Amino acid sequence: MLTPVDLHTHSTASDGTLSPAALMRRARDQGVEEIALTDHDTVDGLEEAARAARELGLRFVPGIELSVDWRHHTLHIVGLEIDPQGPALKSLMQRLAEMRTRRARSIGARLDKLGYTGAYAGACRLADCIRPGRAHFARYLAKKGRVKNEGDAFKRLLGRGKPAYVATAWPAMATAIHAIHDAGGWSVLAHPLRYQLTATKVREAVAEFKAAGGAGLEIVNGRQTQGETDRLERLAQRHEFRPSRGSDFHSPPHD
Ligand code: MN
Ligand code: MN
Ligand code: MN
């Protein structure tokens, strides 16, 4: 986790392994002073996190990470300082929840056919049966020894173009940006270098994000090199983006 500001983290409300309160305690222990909880497509963890943060003396930023479709690539947009009651955001989250539920069932059915039976039930248990995502499937398959590790599960089965991959029609970029702004928040294009896009496409995605009203660029993400950070810093300056920094924390090491 980065210090002292971390504007990108996950809890058990999506695919993280720590509860919102446990995540806040860990952040405090790591010296973080300001933290956003940005679970995938849900605000379910915000109340618990806000309460814990208050007790721990952390400055809390309510957030979310929305999946969007951009030219058949899935990009992630982080919303920060959001009001979870924003009407456009609420209806978008409802739509996304339905999509995620359908997707989880389809992934389960594909894995069954491939001989990985029972994966849906297993992933469901790991997610407390609230919309298991691909990370839950990966964790379950790794736990059962059906794949070497979670990365292997994505590489062989769950990743884009692999046999258990289910394409999802995520909302358009502009829809997500609008929902975040309608909820009083500011939108950040998350980890721009982690979409396996060519340099040209990264520039185009960033430009379109800006044109659609996007406000910020994530220049630091937990899993990137200093060279990448420098490149993103220049990109943010050129487009006058507000820079954002986060760990994209999902689980403690050796979990
Ligand atoms: Mn995730
Ligand atoms: Mn992401
Ligand atoms: Mn994330």
Side-chain angles (χ1 to χ4, degrees):
M1 220 173 275
L2 303 161
T3 54
V5 176
D6 188 344
L7 298 178
H8 188 159
T9 67
H10 297 273
S11 75
T12 47
S14 65
D15 59 350
T17 60
L18 297 183
S19 69
L23 176 69
M24 294 303 120
R25 282 194 294 275
R26 182 180 163 91
R28 192 269 322 265
D29 293 346
Q30 302 266 323
V32 173
E33 289 166 12
E34 177 177 348
I35 182 165
L37 178 63
T38 56
D39 274 309
H40 296 284
D41 302 330
T42 181
V43 294
D44 288 354
L46 293 185
E47 231 182 86
E48 180 186 321
R51 203 179 320 119
R54 202 162 42 240
E55 285 164 12
L56 294 162
L58 288 171
R59 193 182 116 69
F60 182 68
V61 177
I64 191 166
E65 180 172 23
L66 296 168
S67 294
V68 302
D69 183 76
W70 180 76
R71 300 191 198 170
H72 307 298
H73 295 278
T74 305
L75 306 188
H76 287 170
I77 296 180
V78 163
L80 296 170
E81 309 277 2
I82 51 159
D83 171 2
Q85 299 299 327
L89 185 60
K90 272 177 99 165
S91 70
L92 180 59
M93 286 189 295
Q94 178 64 40
R95 210 173 110 200
L96 289 163
E98 285 158 13
M99 289 169 68
R100 282 183 171 274
T101 300
R102 272 201 306 275
R103 179 176 76 155
R105 293 208 187 98
S106 309
I107 292 173
R110 286 194 184 209
L111 286 170
D112 271 345
K113 273 196 198 139
L114 292 162
Y116 300 88
T117 50
Y120 178 78
C124 194
R125 276 195 304 276
L126 286 179
D128 289 332
C129 286
I130 308 165
R131 297 182 293 280
R134 286 187 297 169
H136 299 108
F137 280 98
R139 230 169 264 156
Y140 171 78
L141 292 168
K143 215 175 82 180
K144 287 283 160 183
R146 313 287 296 271
V147 294
K148 267 186 281 172
N149 51 46
E150 292 167 32
D152 187 43
F154 274 87
K155 218 161 83 190
R156 289 178 34 216
L157 298 164
L158 300 164
R160 190 184 170 84
K162 304 300 173 193
Y165 179 76
V166 174
T168 311
W170 301 115
M173 208 183 233
T175 308
I177 294 171
H178 170 257
I180 290 165
H181 292 185
D182 182 65
W186 57 291
S187 52
V188 176
L189 182 61
H191 43 71
L193 302 181
R194 285 190 46 212
Y195 301 118
Q196 291 164 323
L197 298 174
T198 61
T200 308
K201 280 213 171 159
V202 168
R203 279 195 299 274
E204 287 170 1
V206 165
E208 271 185 48
F209 178 68
K210 180 77 185 183
L217 200 69
E218 191 172 77
I219 60 165
V220 174
N221 181 276
R223 293 167 273 186
Q224 76 187 24
T225 65
Q226 184 58 44
E228 290 172 325
T229 299
D230 295 343
R231 191 174 147 202
L232 289 170
E233 221 154 19
R234 287 194 298 272
L235 205 55
Q237 272 168 8
R238 192 173 330 133
H239 291 273
E240 296 181 333
F241 278 119
R242 187 169 163 185
S244 182
R245 295 171 173 79
S247 62
D248 209 352
F249 178 87
H250 281 74
S251 67
H254 318 299
D255 185 62

